Amino acid sequence: MRPDAADVPAIRRQALCQGAVTKALASRTELTVVQRTLRHAGIVLTADTYVSVLPHLYHDSARMTVRLVLKAVRVISRKVGKARAGA
């Protein structure tokens, strides 16, 4: 038996690539970096292919968006309050 033919199952190159991409996204690597690494023509292909396997990315994104919106509302509310107080 050849040393490289041990009892190791064959792994497709594509499966290794998909696993690496999934781990990269799970570690919060930016989607644009992954897209460029894979040489995808557009980010939509990358997002459609890989992001759906990591639902926590959607939750994190939604949470951060809510924080930004609430922060903007607070800032606007303060400005409106100051404007009314000065009027």
Side-chain angles (χ1 to χ4, degrees), residues 12-79:
R12 295 179 306 128
R13 186 174 141 299
Q14 183 180 8
L16 289 172
C17 181
Q18 290 171 342
V21 169
T22 302
K23 293 294 185 188
L25 290 170
S27 69
R28 307 206 189 289
T29 300
E30 290 185 29
L31 194 56
T32 53
V33 172
V34 172
Q35 177 231 337
R36 290 180 189 142
T37 302
L38 295 172
R39 297 180 183 164
H40 286 167
I43 200 162
V44 174
L45 172 62
T46 310
D48 286 349
T49 305
Y50 293 103
V51 175
S52 62
V53 300
L54 299 167
H56 73 274
L57 292 178
Y58 292 115
H59 296 288
D60 292 348
S61 175
R63 199 174 303 118
M64 291 183 338
T65 301
V66 167
R67 285 183 191 151
L68 288 173
V69 169
L70 291 175
K71 183 178 179 180
V73 167
R74 282 191 223 94
V75 168
I76 292 170
S77 294
R78 281 189 220 122
K79 288 181 180 180

